[in-house]
Amino acid sequence: MAAIIEKESLIGKAIPKMDAPGKVSGHTRYIHDLNLPGQLIGRILRTDRVHARIISIDTKEAEALPGVHAVITAKDVPNKPLGVTKDNPPLKGDKVRCERDEIAAVAAETEALAEQALSLIKVEYEELPALFDPRQALLENAPVIQESKPDNISMEFDYSHGDVEQGEAESDVVIEDLFKLHYVTHCCMGASGVIADFDSTSGNLTLYSNTQVPFLHKREFASVLNMDPNRIRIIQPPIGGGFGSKLDIYPFEPIAVFLAQKARRPVKLTFSREEEFLASPTRQPAYLRLRSGVTKEGVLTFRTLDSLLDNGAYTSWGATIPFVMMQTFSSLYRVPHCLYHTTTVYTNNPYAGSFRGYGNLQATFCVEAHMDKLAEAVGIDPLRFRLKNAQQAGETSGQGMHFKSCGFKECLTTAAARSDYAIKREQNLKAQGDDNAVKKGIGMASMLHVGGGAKIYPSDGCGTILKMDDFGHVTLMTGASEIGQGSETVLSQLVCEELGLPLSAVTVVNNDTDITPWDVGVHASRTTFIAGNSAIGAARLAREKILNAAAGTTAMPADQLSLRGGCIVIDESGEAVITLDKLLRSLHFQERAELVTTSFYYEPPSVHQDKAFKGDVSASYAWATQVVEIEVDTLTGVVTLNRCTAAHDVGRVLNKLGIEGQVEGGIVMGQGYALTEDLLIDEGHCQNPNFRDYKLITAPEIPEIDLSFIETMDGEGPQGAKGIGEAPAICMAAAIANALYNATGVRIYEAPFSPEKVYRALKGCSQPLEW
Amino acid sequence: MSLTHEIKFTLNGSPVSLTIPLTMSVLTMLRDLLNLTGTKYGCGEGECGACTILIDGVSVNACLKFAVDCDGRTLTTVEGLVADSRNDPLRTAFAEKGGVQCGFCTPGMVMQARHILDNYPRANESQIKRGIEGNLCRCTGYKKIIETIASVGELDNKG
Amino acid sequence: MTNFKSYLAPATLDEAVDQLNQGNVTVLAGGSDLMLRVGAGNYDPSHTLMNILKINELRNISFEDNEVQIGTLTTITEIREDPELSIKMPLLGQAADQFASMQIRNVGTIGGNICNASPAGDMLVPLLLLDAAVELARQSDGGVASRRVALKDFFVGPGKTQCQSNELLTRVSIPFSKQGFRARFYKFGTRPALDISTVSIGIGGIFNNGYLQAPRVAFGAVAPVPFMALKTMKAIEQSPLDSERIKEIAEIARDEIKPIDDVRATAWYRKQLVHNLTIKVLSDVTDA
């Protein structure tokens, strides 16, 4: 009698990451661990000035040093500018504009020789007046940073819906505040690195790169190097953390390629930790002036935002965060009238890239401070005020975002209930006046972020090739990269769900542009959603082929068959008809032999924003509310985060272990942004390029974390899921600022809430914010 | 020109004899001379713990330790740790309890976990947190790493 | 690539002081501070690197009649976990617990922390508070001679001490406190240990009849060297301590320190911290 196989599902279970065992054993080889035969070590000479004309660069002595195989400066290379507005030449020949600037590079047989060669390069400069304060960039006699932009404006963004004058007229209360956000940086534990290797016969380039966007990278490399893209192959070794830092192409990568070209040997270039701090992107610092109105019934009437972003000396993704910031201003709550403006100005400071949350931490910090302030002004408790103005399913926001599923209100009520928000808030308010030096505070903040990709490129799609061998083993070739977030495992789960296989039956190939199909890369919390739907599409095609073949051999109609436990079964009874491997082998010997290989390309049903920044850019949207509980030591200003209660609309939990890990990690990253991390830039120079003084959160500092996942079963999502990679980091600074106010009655408008800053605020001796 | 010194030590159970420059760190020796790349460079300043190894059974930052001082000592790196089946529960727990994301801090975390479990077998959650204070992780928020170490401690204590 | 001139690892103190006597020696113990200096190129390649970790006689904790003697190679972990020391001098264990990270405590030595002479050295304030002295050994007539220097006089400037180039710090001696002596130590930072202190404060004495007798006050990270705050001590001694007087003393302490602005804090904030924490710590010490 045939075996009966019950239906089993991996969805929602706690599935360990497929790549974890290799990482635990030290077997996983990151770029730092790879060495090619004949490889040279590349090093970059950076400037010690922040704004100066280069008079001369003398590399003679460096070139003469035995063991040095290539020395390059701007004049030796095509040097086409990189970046979002193509204003950043890989090597600087005319002038330097910030402390990161690359003057020359060497390739030598050892690291020590490369360092020695750098020390032999002589650069003569003529100092230029420098610009450090973005608020002075628009002054008439401000130094000009980029000659092609004499007004120092790199980008401007304007958005509006409704009529803010009407909104203001309808308001009973109007408030306006200025907020300031700081520099932080990604601090990937594995620092940046690249290996460039030219094939000596074909001249083809293989680039071992940590990029998060291999296909975009390939295209940009082709342009920068004047190469046919068909001759560039990008291989991504496992990445020691990304968080957005590897979304743009930065000068060190083409420099390594130029060195390899000149030396005719492979060149490996990796950053020291100090270099990583000095020369990798930051989160975008900003001044934001927010004006909001409300009726006495507690209905939001209008919002205007004027913001100034410090672009730094060159333009990378940081300058484009208004795309995301304006979504929070316009669409987290129902705001009938909205006016938004950002100016991004050049300075001689470091430049910002994309960083998990992409402007949303900054935007949410301001918006959620105002939600608390407006609630207080009209005498409504903050939770009820938010519920009253929260978006809900079915609505389309003024910016055109259509919320097909929306668990926002459930996030609010769940996080509030699980943290006893209302009771504790009242208790803390009462205790403000007592003589206890340590004050308790509770604060909440919510967020909206894209959860179904983001259509910022012509396509937001991802391809999958799926192949099954005659033992029933699946090779899943996906364009989506694994950067630690667990995409390999989730994609495999989704495939197993369709094909009735255990996880061990799947191998994922996701790191080689010569093999994997196209994808736009790991960003915008898109991988689970986009690559997930793509993987499901390919798996369903495979399933159809298999069941059709099985129908042929079993004389059962395909629609009555199913795949479970590595067998073809009768769907209704679970009775096994034939094992999958046996069926697959039999396919080889058929007249029309057809190995089971499928390819599927998924494009989400989202649209580009129009020129007015309106449109439904994502196939679904993620929501969250986080409530934090803190203690403030008024003698020292130290803020201790005791607890975080988080409720996230995730569509559906696919991998419990994976999603918990993402949210916990995001909360702690947000905690660092709020409390301890501060990349100090003084006159263009970083003051703390080390972990001693750039303080990441350490294990003893983490809060107790309570997680709730609101499952709204998004109709577009893979098995109902939404993307959540960025969401958990977004609310923390906003929530902690609100908790500080609850604890002390003092509101702080500038992050991070470091002990000294909090202490000054408590004493009323803060530096007033001006813009 | 660079002055060197010959040292003999036990590495992951096997004898090693090596000539090294006097200023070389144990981290550089392991990665560049001995090709043991499981031990990671994270900061080179003893602030991140990615290079944690055991010397004479005690956890240290390999980046701050002079290689010359290894003479006569016993070193264990992550490669040696996983080769010993005694560590299977620790290894499995890190994978199964979600203690790993990008994985770059993981070898150092695993080595520090071994030190904690060996020296403070009854460590509670807050002692485990203090035990990995010198190991930075940017991905996990530490919670699952702490749970991982605690779970192995419970297993050990039952056994 | 430069390097040290030569290397040796003596097994006895005799050999070590003999080598020191010949000059141009850089001493290696735990190595965590020295490796950072080497990494920054801040070392003398004409020196011999002398590893003293093989001199076992320098690594012990012994309890004498009047004092505890801690060998210079005793690690911070050993101090943190010594059961007898934790009873007789709990302050040292507490300070050791707030020292860097477990990995660094495992290799960092008490002698290294003292000789490094950082204004923010984690063990220095408690040792000053407990009236510690250091033994400096040198070669003399073919044997070993040694002198004792009170820790309060030992630090000359940041990274500079009374230890001469021919001398080796061999041990720290800490007298047993008088009956009734109570002391508290506070290292300010946002992390339990892995933090360069912004300020650290130690206050001790015998609280009797409203007076804190034989008071001792030490501050770290608020002047070029960790130091005994003599004016503050004198003020404490003069009159009985109630909450009003404690506030006055905190102001004296605030005015006695000479902090600087740096990447970790402004001088203003350090003064505020010393003021507020002096109240807290002094209240702790006098609050039976």
Side-chain angles (χ1 to χ4, degrees), chain A residues 131-139 152 180 183 285-287 308-312 343-347 349 771:
Chain A
L131 172 61
F132 303 118
D133 187 337
R135 294 168 298 183
Q136 291 170 6
L138 301 179
L139 298 181
N152 282 334
K180 185 184 177 193
Y183 286 101
Y287 287 90
L308 178 69
L309 305 186
D310 182 348
N311 192 86
T343 310
T344 304
V345 295
Y346 285 109
T347 64
N349 291 324
W771 170 39

Side-chain angles (χ1 to χ4, degrees), chain B residues 49-63:
Chain B
C51 66
T52 302
I53 61 163
L54 304 180
I55 298 186
D56 294 337
V58 169
S59 68
V60 307
N61 295 308
C63 69

Side-chain angles (χ1 to χ4, degrees), chain B residues 9-36:
Chain B
F9 56 98
T10 304
L11 176 62
N12 298 331
S14 304
V16 175
S17 173
L18 205 61
T19 301
I20 45 108
L22 295 177
T23 49
M24 181 174 270
S25 71
V26 174
L27 178 62
T28 307
M29 175 180 80
L30 290 171
R31 289 184 58 85
D32 293 0
L33 300 187
L34 297 165
N35 243 330
L36 291 174

Side-chain angles (χ1 to χ4, degrees), chain A residues 102-360:
Chain A
E102 300 79 4
I103 305 286
V106 303
E109 276 163 21
T110 66
E111 188 179 326
L113 273 173
E115 291 289 347
Q116 196 187 341
L118 290 188
S119 72
L120 296 174
I121 298 173
K122 295 185 192 77
V123 188
E124 243 188 302
Y125 296 100
E126 175 197 332
E127 291 279 355
L128 294 170
L131 172 61
F132 303 118
D133 187 337
R135 294 168 298 183
Q136 291 170 6
L138 301 179
L139 298 181
E140 204 171 319
N141 51 0
V144 173
I145 312 303
Q146 291 275 0
E147 283 61 29
S148 63
K149 298 283 177 74
D151 57 2
N152 282 334
I153 294 176
S154 133
M155 289 187 173
E156 281 189 285
F157 295 82
D158 283 289
Y159 165 81
S160 71
H161 70 249
D163 173 358
V164 292
E165 281 180 26
Q166 183 195 333
E168 184 146 1
E170 289 166 6
S171 305
D172 294 307
V173 175
V174 173
I175 56 172
E176 180 179 309
D177 289 296
L178 178 60
F179 299 84
K180 185 184 177 193
L181 281 308
H182 59 306
Y183 286 101
V184 295
T185 185
H186 304 71
C187 295
C188 301
M189 293 310 297
S192 302
V194 63
I195 303 174
D197 183 24
F198 282 94
D199 185 295
S200 55
T201 38
S202 66
N204 290 357
L205 169 66
T206 300
L207 201 63
Y208 298 83
S209 163
N210 276 346
T211 179
Q212 291 177 229
V213 289
F215 290 93
L216 301 184
H217 226 61
K218 176 170 164 160
R219 195 178 63 174
E220 187 153 358
F221 258 103
S223 148
V224 169
L225 304 171
N226 282 333
M227 262 180 95
D228 175 358
N230 290 313
R231 303 178 67 177
I232 300 174
R233 174 187 188 186
I234 294 181
I235 295 177
Q236 298 162 279
I239 293 173
F243 315 113
S245 64
K246 298 161 171 74
L247 216 63
D248 204 352
I249 188 166
Y250 290 108
F252 75 95
E253 293 164 298
I255 286 174
V257 177
F258 296 142
L259 286 170
Q261 237 164 2
K262 181 153 186 193
R264 294 172 174 264
R265 295 202 14 202
V267 170
K268 174 176 177 177
L269 198 160
T270 54
F271 282 9
S272 68
R273 179 55 59 187
E274 185 184 27
E275 196 171 15
E276 184 77 6
F277 272 106
L278 294 175
S280 53
T282 69
R283 195 184 285 286
Q284 181 66 58
Y287 287 90
L288 304 108
R289 178 172 284 115
L290 179 63
R291 188 170 167 82
S292 313
V294 68
T295 66
K296 59 181 184 301
E297 291 77 26
V299 177
L300 291 173
T301 48
F302 80 99
R303 193 175 272 156
T304 65
L305 182 99
D306 198 4
S307 59
L308 178 69
L309 305 186
D310 182 348
N311 192 86
Y314 305 98
T315 312
S316 183
W317 290 116
T320 69
I321 61 167
F323 282 121
V324 174
M325 289 205 295
M326 62 175 75
Q327 293 173 0
T328 292
F329 288 110
S330 71
S331 306
L332 171 58
Y333 298 98
R334 286 191 303 266
V335 189
H337 309 286
C338 223
L339 182 66
Y340 177 100
H341 176 78
T342 294
T343 310
T344 304
V345 295
Y346 285 109
T347 64
N348 293 114
N349 291 324
Y351 47 99
S354 73
F355 194 169
R356 191 183 200 173
Y358 212 94
N360 210 347

Side-chain angles (χ1 to χ4, degrees), chain C residues 167-187:
Chain C
E167 288 179 318
L168 185 69
L169 192 153
T170 53
R171 66 172 174 238
V172 195
S173 304
I174 308 148
F176 290 122
S177 307
K178 293 211 179 78
Q179 193 73 30
F181 181 81
R182 202 162 61 213
R184 294 285 183 272
F185 167 65
Y186 192 99
K187 174 183 169 180

Side-chain angles (χ1 to χ4, degrees), chain C residues 35-56:
Chain C
M35 185 58 91
L36 292 179
R37 297 212 319 259
V38 166
N42 179 18
Y43 72 104
D44 191 336
S46 71
H47 274 205
T48 291
L49 181 67
M50 182 172 76
N51 180 359
I52 60 170
L53 282 172
K54 315 276 175 186
I55 310 176
N56 288 327

